[in-house]
Amino acid sequence: MRTMIAAWALALLAAGAARAEVVDAQPNGFEVKHEVVVNAPAAAVWGVLVQPSKWWSSAHTWSGSAANLSLAAASGGCFCERLPNGGSVLHMTTVNAAPGQKLVLFGALGPLQTSGASGALAFALAEKDGKTTVTVTYDVGGYLKGGLDKWAGPVDGVIAQQVAGLKAAVEGK
């Protein structure tokens, strides 16, 4: 838990140095958006996308290891994490899975899980000339004491790390 909170705090500091992708931020919600071109066809991107243990940062897990992550890419499926001693975390639920095209997950990531906020994390894949543009949006709404707008920057930083990790994993870097 401390590791996760520290990682989110670090992302808040790093967000100031990174190019902001906060589309909107209000006390009742926010949207962050990232777009990256991956040098691979959409089928290859999808194959890695549905294996978060290959690209999600271990610093942004409750267990401290991305190897404990799994994703069932079918409606009702779980983006879950195994914890020590038989524990588990349901990070998000799959609500739309179109292989090679779109993946939409619903829920709350990290510290947002302990609030009244939740959101849709969407991955859209568009292939052209053997390359795939991946557009990732995370729309979050609900209640968080002090306002969700204050979390837009830190969440943007965390999503940026995951998008970079996905690109690197697909491209073998």
Side-chain angles (χ1 to χ4, degrees):
M1 175 81 164
R2 286 184 194 173
T3 302
M4 178 67 86
I5 292 171
W8 280 83
L10 182 59
L12 174 61
L13 295 173
R19 190 179 101 208
E21 299 285 350
V22 176
V23 175
D24 188 28
Q26 305 292 325
N28 65 338
F30 61 84
E31 177 184 49
V32 298
K33 180 178 179 180
H34 290 269
E35 190 170 282
V36 65
V37 176
V38 180
N39 294 315
V45 174
W46 180 267
V48 175
L49 175 62
V50 298
Q51 297 181 66
S53 61
K54 291 186 174 186
W55 57 272
W56 195 271
S57 170
S58 290
H60 296 287
T61 64
W62 293 108
S63 66
S65 175
N68 292 321
L69 296 173
S70 63
L71 173 62
S75 296
C78 180
F79 173 27
C80 290
E81 180 177 355
R82 291 181 319 277
L83 297 176
N85 301 318
S88 63
V89 178
L90 187 156
H91 293 287
M92 305 185 102
T93 302
T94 303
V95 295
N96 190 329
Q101 299 173 12
K102 175 173 46 176
L103 177 66
V104 182
L105 307 172
F106 188 81
L109 294 171
L112 295 177
Q113 286 184 333
T114 61
S115 75
S118 60
L121 178 63
F123 298 82
L125 284 63
E127 183 179 339
K128 182 178 179 184
D129 300 327
K131 296 181 180 183
T132 304
T133 300
V134 179
T135 305
V136 181
T137 57
Y138 189 27
D139 295 329
V140 178
Y143 176 78
L144 180 76
K145 187 175 182 177
L148 281 165
D149 52 333
K150 294 167 185 64
W151 283 85
V155 171
D156 179 60
V158 170
I159 298 300
Q161 289 177 344
Q162 308 326 308
V163 171
L166 175 62
K167 177 179 172 64
V170 173
E171 294 178 350
K173 295 180 180 176

